[in-house]
PDB file of all heavy atoms in Angstrom:
ATOM      1  N   PRO A 341    -200.202 130.693  25.366  1.00 85.00           N
ATOM      2  CA  PRO A 341    -200.566 130.153  24.043  1.00 85.00           C
ATOM      3  C   PRO A 341    -202.020 129.695  24.026  1.00 85.00           C
ATOM      4  O   PRO A 341    -202.636 129.476  25.073  1.00 85.00           O
ATOM      5  CB  PRO A 341    -199.593 128.976  23.868  1.00 85.00           C
ATOM      6  CG  PRO A 341    -198.430 129.302  24.747  1.00 85.00           C
ATOM      7  CD  PRO A 341    -198.999 130.052  25.910  1.00 85.00           C
ATOM      8  N   ALA A 342    -202.580 129.524  22.841  1.00 84.00           N
ATOM      9  CA  ALA A 342    -204.018 129.273  22.677  1.00 84.00           C
ATOM     10  C   ALA A 342    -204.475 128.038  23.448  1.00 84.00           C
ATOM     11  O   ALA A 342    -205.517 128.068  24.128  1.00 84.00           O
ATOM     12  CB  ALA A 342    -204.348 129.131  21.194  1.00 84.00           C
ATOM     13  N   ARG A 343    -203.733 126.947  23.379  1.00 86.00           N
ATOM     14  CA  ARG A 343    -204.194 125.721  24.037  1.00 86.00           C
ATOM     15  C   ARG A 343    -204.215 125.874  25.554  1.00 86.00           C
ATOM     16  O   ARG A 343    -205.114 125.358  26.229  1.00 86.00           O
ATOM     17  CB  ARG A 343    -203.315 124.542  23.627  1.00 86.00           C
ATOM     18  CG  ARG A 343    -201.853 124.648  23.995  1.00 86.00           C
ATOM     19  CD  ARG A 343    -201.084 123.415  23.520  1.00 86.00           C
ATOM     20  NE  ARG A 343    -199.687 123.420  23.918  1.00 86.00           N
ATOM     21  CZ  ARG A 343    -198.725 124.020  23.245  1.00 86.00           C
ATOM     22  NH1 ARG A 343    -199.021 124.695  22.131  1.00 86.00           N
ATOM     23  NH2 ARG A 343    -197.472 123.966  23.668  1.00 86.00           N
ATOM     24  N   TYR A 344    -203.268 126.607  26.121  1.00 86.00           N
ATOM     25  CA  TYR A 344    -203.263 126.819  27.570  1.00 86.00           C
ATOM     26  C   TYR A 344    -204.371 127.791  27.978  1.00 86.00           C
ATOM     27  O   TYR A 344    -205.030 127.608  29.016  1.00 86.00           O
ATOM     28  CB  TYR A 344    -201.913 127.359  28.027  1.00 86.00           C
ATOM     29  CG  TYR A 344    -200.788 126.367  27.905  1.00 86.00           C
ATOM     30  CD1 TYR A 344    -199.853 126.478  26.876  1.00 86.00           C
ATOM     31  CD2 TYR A 344    -200.660 125.314  28.801  1.00 86.00           C
ATOM     32  CE1 TYR A 344    -198.817 125.571  26.759  1.00 86.00           C
ATOM     33  CE2 TYR A 344    -199.622 124.393  28.681  1.00 86.00           C
ATOM     34  CZ  TYR A 344    -198.704 124.528  27.661  1.00 86.00           C
ATOM     35  OH  TYR A 344    -197.675 123.631  27.536  1.00 86.00           O
ATOM     36  N   GLY A 345    -204.603 128.831  27.180  1.00 84.00           N
ATOM     37  CA  GLY A 345    -205.659 129.799  27.498  1.00 84.00           C
ATOM     38  C   GLY A 345    -207.033 129.170  27.460  1.00 84.00           C
ATOM     39  O   GLY A 345    -207.852 129.365  28.380  1.00 84.00           O
ATOM     40  N   LEU A 346    -207.309 128.391  26.388  1.00 87.00           N
ATOM     41  CA  LEU A 346    -208.601 127.717  26.307  1.00 87.00           C
ATOM     42  C   LEU A 346    -208.717 126.634  27.380  1.00 87.00           C
ATOM     43  O   LEU A 346    -209.824 126.366  27.891  1.00 87.00           O
ATOM     44  CB  LEU A 346    -208.778 127.115  24.914  1.00 87.00           C
ATOM     45  CG  LEU A 346    -208.906 128.133  23.765  1.00 87.00           C
ATOM     46  CD1 LEU A 346    -209.010 127.416  22.426  1.00 87.00           C
ATOM     47  CD2 LEU A 346    -210.131 129.028  23.980  1.00 87.00           C
ATOM     48  N   GLY A 347    -207.595 126.006  27.732  1.00 88.00           N
ATOM     49  CA  GLY A 347    -207.632 125.018  28.818  1.00 88.00           C
ATOM     50  C   GLY A 347    -208.021 125.651  30.138  1.00 88.00           C
ATOM     51  O   GLY A 347    -208.812 125.086  30.917  1.00 88.00           O
ATOM     52  N   ALA A 348    -207.468 126.863  30.420  1.00 86.00           N
ATOM     53  CA  ALA A 348    -207.838 127.566  31.652  1.00 86.00           C
ATOM     54  C   ALA A 348    -209.325 127.922  31.643  1.00 86.00           C
ATOM     55  O   ALA A 348    -210.026 127.836  32.673  1.00 86.00           O
ATOM     56  CB  ALA A 348    -206.989 128.824  31.799  1.00 86.00           C
ATOM     57  N   ALA A 349    -209.859 128.333  30.457  1.00 86.00           N
ATOM     58  CA  ALA A 349    -211.281 128.662  30.358  1.00 86.00           C
ATOM     59  C   ALA A 349    -212.145 127.426  30.604  1.00 86.00           C
ATOM     60  O   ALA A 349    -213.188 127.499  31.282  1.00 86.00           O
ATOM     61  CB  ALA A 349    -211.575 129.257  28.976  1.00 86.00           C
ATOM     62  N   LEU A 350    -211.737 126.271  30.064  1.00 90.00           N
ATOM     63  CA  LEU A 350    -212.504 125.037  30.295  1.00 90.00           C
ATOM     64  C   LEU A 350    -212.478 124.634  31.761  1.00 90.00           C
ATOM     65  O   LEU A 350    -213.488 124.144  32.304  1.00 90.00           O
ATOM     66  CB  LEU A 350    -211.931 123.914  29.430  1.00 90.00           C
ATOM     67  CG  LEU A 350    -212.154 124.057  27.914  1.00 90.00           C
ATOM     68  CD1 LEU A 350    -211.421 122.958  27.152  1.00 90.00           C
ATOM     69  CD2 LEU A 350    -213.643 124.049  27.578  1.00 90.00           C
ATOM     70  N   VAL A 351    -211.338 124.841  32.420  1.00 89.00           N
ATOM     71  CA  VAL A 351    -211.280 124.550  33.854  1.00 89.00           C
ATOM     72  C   VAL A 351    -212.232 125.463  34.617  1.00 89.00           C
ATOM     73  O   VAL A 351    -212.942 125.034  35.552  1.00 89.00           O
ATOM     74  CB  VAL A 351    -209.838 124.713  34.375  1.00 89.00           C
ATOM     75  CG1 VAL A 351    -209.797 124.630  35.904  1.00 89.00           C
ATOM     76  CG2 VAL A 351    -208.940 123.628  33.777  1.00 89.00           C
ATOM     77  N   ALA A 352    -212.262 126.758  34.215  1.00 86.00           N
ATOM     78  CA  ALA A 352    -213.183 127.688  34.871  1.00 86.00           C
ATOM     79  C   ALA A 352    -214.630 127.287  34.629  1.00 86.00           C
ATOM     80  O   ALA A 352    -215.483 127.362  35.546  1.00 86.00           O
ATOM     81  CB  ALA A 352    -212.929 129.103  34.359  1.00 86.00           C
ATOM     82  N   VAL A 353    -214.959 126.848  33.403  1.00 89.00           N
ATOM     83  CA  VAL A 353    -216.324 126.399  33.090  1.00 89.00           C
ATOM     84  C   VAL A 353    -216.682 125.178  33.934  1.00 89.00           C
ATOM     85  O   VAL A 353    -217.775 125.094  34.534  1.00 89.00           O
ATOM     86  CB  VAL A 353    -216.450 126.086  31.593  1.00 89.00           C
ATOM     87  CG1 VAL A 353    -217.761 125.362  31.303  1.00 89.00           C
ATOM     88  CG2 VAL A 353    -216.365 127.367  30.783  1.00 89.00           C
ATOM     89  N   ALA A 354    -215.746 124.214  33.961  1.00 89.00           N
ATOM     90  CA  ALA A 354    -216.013 123.007  34.767  1.00 89.00           C
ATOM     91  C   ALA A 354    -216.163 123.367  36.237  1.00 89.00           C
ATOM     92  O   ALA A 354    -217.028 122.821  36.946  1.00 89.00           O
ATOM     93  CB  ALA A 354    -214.871 122.015  34.564  1.00 89.00           C
ATOM     94  N   GLY A 355    -215.371 124.296  36.699  1.00 86.00           N
ATOM     95  CA  GLY A 355    -215.447 124.691  38.102  1.00 86.00           C
ATOM     96  C   GLY A 355    -216.740 125.391  38.443  1.00 86.00           C
ATOM     97  O   GLY A 355    -217.376 125.093  39.474  1.00 86.00           O
ATOM     98  N   ILE A 356    -217.215 126.326  37.599  1.00 86.00           N
ATOM     99  CA  ILE A 356    -218.429 127.081  37.913  1.00 86.00           C
ATOM    100  C   ILE A 356    -219.653 126.175  37.845  1.00 86.00           C
ATOM    101  O   ILE A 356    -220.585 126.282  38.662  1.00 86.00           O
ATOM    102  CB  ILE A 356    -218.562 128.299  36.967  1.00 86.00           C
ATOM    103  CG1 ILE A 356    -219.524 129.328  37.571  1.00 86.00           C
ATOM    104  CG2 ILE A 356    -219.001 127.902  35.581  1.00 86.00           C
ATOM    105  CD1 ILE A 356    -218.922 130.088  38.708  1.00 86.00           C
ATOM    106  N   ILE A 357    -219.659 125.239  36.857  1.00 87.00           N
ATOM    107  CA  ILE A 357    -220.786 124.302  36.762  1.00 87.00           C
ATOM    108  C   ILE A 357    -220.706 123.282  37.890  1.00 87.00           C
ATOM    109  O   ILE A 357    -221.729 122.910  38.493  1.00 87.00           O
ATOM    110  CB  ILE A 357    -220.793 123.612  35.388  1.00 87.00           C
ATOM    111  CG1 ILE A 357    -221.058 124.660  34.276  1.00 87.00           C
ATOM    112  CG2 ILE A 357    -221.821 122.499  35.332  1.00 87.00           C
ATOM    113  CD1 ILE A 357    -221.006 124.098  32.875  1.00 87.00           C
ATOM    114  N   GLY A 358    -219.496 122.820  38.197  1.00 85.00           N
ATOM    115  CA  GLY A 358    -219.346 121.852  39.278  1.00 85.00           C
ATOM    116  C   GLY A 358    -219.736 122.434  40.616  1.00 85.00           C
ATOM    117  O   GLY A 358    -220.362 121.741  41.451  1.00 85.00           O
ATOM    118  N   GLU A 359    -219.398 123.703  40.856  1.00 82.00           N
ATOM    119  CA  GLU A 359    -219.772 124.344  42.128  1.00 82.00           C
ATOM    120  C   GLU A 359    -221.285 124.450  42.228  1.00 82.00           C
ATOM    121  O   GLU A 359    -221.865 124.227  43.301  1.00 82.00           O
ATOM    122  CB  GLU A 359    -219.108 125.716  42.218  1.00 82.00           C
ATOM    123  CG  GLU A 359    -219.234 126.394  43.571  1.00 82.00           C
ATOM    124  CD  GLU A 359    -220.592 127.096  43.758  1.00 82.00           C
ATOM    125  OE1 GLU A 359    -221.150 127.552  42.724  1.00 82.00           O
ATOM    126  OE2 GLU A 359    -221.058 127.175  44.914  1.00 82.00           O
ATOM    127  N   TYR A 360    -221.954 124.798  41.106  1.00 82.00           N
ATOM    128  CA  TYR A 360    -223.415 124.901  41.113  1.00 82.00           C
ATOM    129  C   TYR A 360    -224.028 123.529  41.398  1.00 82.00           C
ATOM    130  O   TYR A 360    -224.962 123.397  42.210  1.00 82.00           O
ATOM    131  CB  TYR A 360    -223.911 125.447  39.793  1.00 82.00           C
ATOM    132  CG  TYR A 360    -225.421 125.509  39.707  1.00 82.00           C
ATOM    133  CD1 TYR A 360    -226.122 126.579  40.280  1.00 82.00           C
ATOM    134  CD2 TYR A 360    -226.155 124.485  39.083  1.00 82.00           C
ATOM    135  CE1 TYR A 360    -227.503 126.620  40.229  1.00 82.00           C
ATOM    136  CE2 TYR A 360    -227.528 124.532  39.027  1.00 82.00           C
ATOM    137  CZ  TYR A 360    -228.209 125.609  39.599  1.00 82.00           C
ATOM    138  OH  TYR A 360    -229.589 125.641  39.541  1.00 82.00           O
ATOM    139  N   ALA A 361    -223.495 122.498  40.729  1.00 83.00           N
ATOM    140  CA  ALA A 361    -224.059 121.150  40.943  1.00 83.00           C
ATOM    141  C   ALA A 361    -223.824 120.686  42.379  1.00 83.00           C
ATOM    142  O   ALA A 361    -224.705 120.067  43.005  1.00 83.00           O
ATOM    143  CB  ALA A 361    -223.416 120.177  39.944  1.00 83.00           C
ATOM    144  N   TRP A 362    -222.636 120.953  42.916  1.00 81.00           N
ATOM    145  CA  TRP A 362    -222.334 120.564  44.293  1.00 81.00           C
ATOM    146  C   TRP A 362    -223.286 121.256  45.278  1.00 81.00           C
ATOM    147  O   TRP A 362    -223.845 120.640  46.174  1.00 81.00           O
ATOM    148  CB  TRP A 362    -220.888 120.926  44.573  1.00 81.00           C
ATOM    149  CG  TRP A 362    -220.429 120.561  45.968  1.00 81.00           C
ATOM    150  CD1 TRP A 362    -220.933 119.595  46.786  1.00 81.00           C
ATOM    151  CD2 TRP A 362    -219.391 121.203  46.711  1.00 81.00           C
ATOM    152  NE1 TRP A 362    -220.257 119.549  47.981  1.00 81.00           N
ATOM    153  CE2 TRP A 362    -219.291 120.532  47.956  1.00 81.00           C
ATOM    154  CE3 TRP A 362    -218.499 122.245  46.433  1.00 81.00           C
ATOM    155  CZ2 TRP A 362    -218.366 120.908  48.937  1.00 81.00           C
ATOM    156  CZ3 TRP A 362    -217.574 122.596  47.384  1.00 81.00           C
ATOM    157  CH2 TRP A 362    -217.506 121.941  48.631  1.00 81.00           C
ATOM    158  N   THR A 363    -223.507 122.541  45.049  1.00 79.00           N
ATOM    159  CA  THR A 363    -224.403 123.294  45.930  1.00 79.00           C
ATOM    160  C   THR A 363    -225.840 122.792  45.812  1.00 79.00           C
ATOM    161  O   THR A 363    -226.555 122.677  46.813  1.00 79.00           O
ATOM    162  CB  THR A 363    -224.333 124.790  45.609  1.00 79.00           C
ATOM    163  OG1 THR A 363    -222.970 125.229  45.733  1.00 79.00           O
ATOM    164  CG2 THR A 363    -225.217 125.599  46.551  1.00 79.00           C
ATOM    165  N   ALA A 364    -226.268 122.521  44.574  1.00 77.00           N
ATOM    166  CA  ALA A 364    -227.649 122.069  44.369  1.00 77.00           C
ATOM    167  C   ALA A 364    -227.896 120.705  44.975  1.00 77.00           C
ATOM    168  O   ALA A 364    -229.010 120.409  45.452  1.00 77.00           O
ATOM    169  CB  ALA A 364    -227.968 122.053  42.873  1.00 77.00           C
ATOM    170  N   LEU A 365    -226.911 119.823  44.971  1.00 77.00           N
ATOM    171  CA  LEU A 365    -227.098 118.483  45.507  1.00 77.00           C
ATOM    172  C   LEU A 365    -227.001 118.445  47.021  1.00 77.00           C
ATOM    173  O   LEU A 365    -227.738 117.720  47.690  1.00 77.00           O
ATOM    174  CB  LEU A 365    -226.047 117.531  44.912  1.00 77.00           C
ATOM    175  CG  LEU A 365    -226.176 117.229  43.410  1.00 77.00           C
ATOM    176  CD1 LEU A 365    -225.011 116.397  42.930  1.00 77.00           C
ATOM    177  CD2 LEU A 365    -227.510 116.516  43.130  1.00 77.00           C
ATOM    178  N   ILE A 366    -226.077 119.208  47.589  1.00 74.00           N
ATOM    179  CA  ILE A 366    -225.845 119.145  49.031  1.00 74.00           C
ATOM    180  C   ILE A 366    -226.708 120.137  49.779  1.00 74.00           C
ATOM    181  O   ILE A 366    -227.216 119.846  50.871  1.00 74.00           O
ATOM    182  CB  ILE A 366    -224.363 119.392  49.331  1.00 74.00           C
ATOM    183  CG1 ILE A 366    -223.508 118.287  48.701  1.00 74.00           C
ATOM    184  CG2 ILE A 366    -224.091 119.443  50.830  1.00 74.00           C
ATOM    185  CD1 ILE A 366    -222.037 118.473  48.882  1.00 74.00           C
ATOM    186  N   ASP A 367    -226.895 121.296  49.219  1.00 70.00           N
ATOM    187  CA  ASP A 367    -227.602 122.356  49.918  1.00 70.00           C
ATOM    188  C   ASP A 367    -228.575 123.009  48.950  1.00 70.00           C
ATOM    189  O   ASP A 367    -228.411 122.946  47.724  1.00 70.00           O
ATOM    190  CB  ASP A 367    -226.610 123.380  50.458  1.00 70.00           C
ATOM    191  CG  ASP A 367    -227.249 124.284  51.505  1.00 70.00           C
ATOM    192  OD1 ASP A 367    -228.428 124.075  51.811  1.00 70.00           O
ATOM    193  OD2 ASP A 367    -226.541 125.189  51.991  1.00 70.00           O
ATOM    194  N   GLU A 368    -229.601 123.623  49.471  1.00 65.00           N
ATOM    195  CA  GLU A 368    -230.564 124.310  48.619  1.00 65.00           C
ATOM    196  C   GLU A 368    -229.962 125.631  48.127  1.00 65.00           C
ATOM    197  O   GLU A 368    -229.192 126.281  48.828  1.00 65.00           O
ATOM    198  CB  GLU A 368    -231.850 124.597  49.397  1.00 65.00           C
ATOM    199  CG  GLU A 368    -232.598 123.349  49.818  1.00 65.00           C
ATOM    200  CD  GLU A 368    -233.891 123.692  50.537  1.00 65.00           C
ATOM    201  OE1 GLU A 368    -234.157 124.906  50.693  1.00 65.00           O
ATOM    202  OE2 GLU A 368    -234.610 122.759  50.924  1.00 65.00           O
ATOM    203  N   THR A 369    -230.348 126.044  46.893  1.00 63.00           N
ATOM    204  CA  THR A 369    -229.887 127.304  46.318  1.00 63.00           C
ATOM    205  C   THR A 369    -231.004 127.935  45.532  1.00 63.00           C
ATOM    206  O   THR A 369    -231.854 127.251  44.953  1.00 63.00           O
ATOM    207  CB  THR A 369    -228.664 127.070  45.407  1.00 63.00           C
ATOM    208  OG1 THR A 369    -228.255 128.313  44.851  1.00 63.00           O
ATOM    209  CG2 THR A 369    -228.987 126.097  44.281  1.00 63.00           C
ATOM    210  N   ASP A 370    -231.023 129.268  45.552  1.00 66.00           N
ATOM    211  CA  ASP A 370    -232.036 129.991  44.790  1.00 66.00           C
ATOM    212  C   ASP A 370    -231.516 130.450  43.430  1.00 66.00           C
ATOM    213  O   ASP A 370    -232.185 131.190  42.713  1.00 66.00           O
ATOM    214  CB  ASP A 370    -232.530 131.196  45.594  1.00 66.00           C
ATOM    215  CG  ASP A 370    -231.373 132.102  46.014  1.00 66.00           C
ATOM    216  OD1 ASP A 370    -230.188 131.719  45.765  1.00 66.00           O
ATOM    217  OD2 ASP A 370    -231.643 133.184  46.572  1.00 66.00           O
ATOM    218  N   ARG A 371    -230.292 130.031  43.063  1.00 70.00           N
ATOM    219  CA  ARG A 371    -229.709 130.418  41.763  1.00 70.00           C
ATOM    220  C   ARG A 371    -230.306 129.537  40.671  1.00 70.00           C
ATOM    221  O   ARG A 371    -230.530 128.348  40.863  1.00 70.00           O
ATOM    222  CB  ARG A 371    -228.186 130.269  41.789  1.00 70.00           C
ATOM    223  CG  ARG A 371    -227.503 131.209  42.766  1.00 70.00           C
ATOM    224  CD  ARG A 371    -226.059 130.778  43.037  1.00 70.00           C
ATOM    225  NE  ARG A 371    -225.272 130.686  41.825  1.00 70.00           N
ATOM    226  CZ  ARG A 371    -224.114 130.045  41.728  1.00 70.00           C
ATOM    227  NH1 ARG A 371    -223.631 129.425  42.813  1.00 70.00           N
ATOM    228  NH2 ARG A 371    -223.456 130.016  40.602  1.00 70.00           N
ATOM    229  N   MET A 372    -230.534 130.164  39.509  1.00 75.00           N
ATOM    230  CA  MET A 372    -231.065 129.441  38.364  1.00 75.00           C
ATOM    231  C   MET A 372    -229.907 128.732  37.652  1.00 75.00           C
ATOM    232  O   MET A 372    -228.766 129.172  37.668  1.00 75.00           O
ATOM    233  CB  MET A 372    -231.779 130.395  37.411  1.00 75.00           C
ATOM    234  CG  MET A 372    -232.932 131.153  38.071  1.00 75.00           C
ATOM    235  SD  MET A 372    -234.263 130.034  38.588  1.00 75.00           S
ATOM    236  CE  MET A 372    -234.823 129.467  36.987  1.00 75.00           C
ATOM    237  N   VAL A 373    -230.211 127.597  37.005  1.00 77.00           N
ATOM    238  CA  VAL A 373    -229.190 126.861  36.281  1.00 77.00           C
ATOM    239  C   VAL A 373    -228.650 127.651  35.102  1.00 77.00           C
ATOM    240  O   VAL A 373    -227.525 127.428  34.616  1.00 77.00           O
ATOM    241  CB  VAL A 373    -229.772 125.509  35.812  1.00 77.00           C
ATOM    242  CG1 VAL A 373    -230.811 125.729  34.705  1.00 77.00           C
ATOM    243  CG2 VAL A 373    -228.652 124.586  35.301  1.00 77.00           C
TER     244      VAL A 373
END
């Protein structure tokens, strides 16, 4: 259903941004924001 599908997308968004932030703070990365 729509609320579960969009919820999964928000989790994926939070995860991809959180992984980038975690990598940028703990270790150096050459990926652009």
Side-chain angles (χ1 to χ4, degrees):
R343 61 180 184 275
Y344 292 104
L346 293 177
L350 291 174
V351 171
V353 169
I356 199 74
I357 295 177
E359 189 279 330
Y360 177 82
W362 181 25
T363 303
L365 292 174
I366 297 177
D367 196 2
E368 295 182 359
T369 179
D370 55 354
R371 295 165 57 197
M372 301 295 294
V373 70

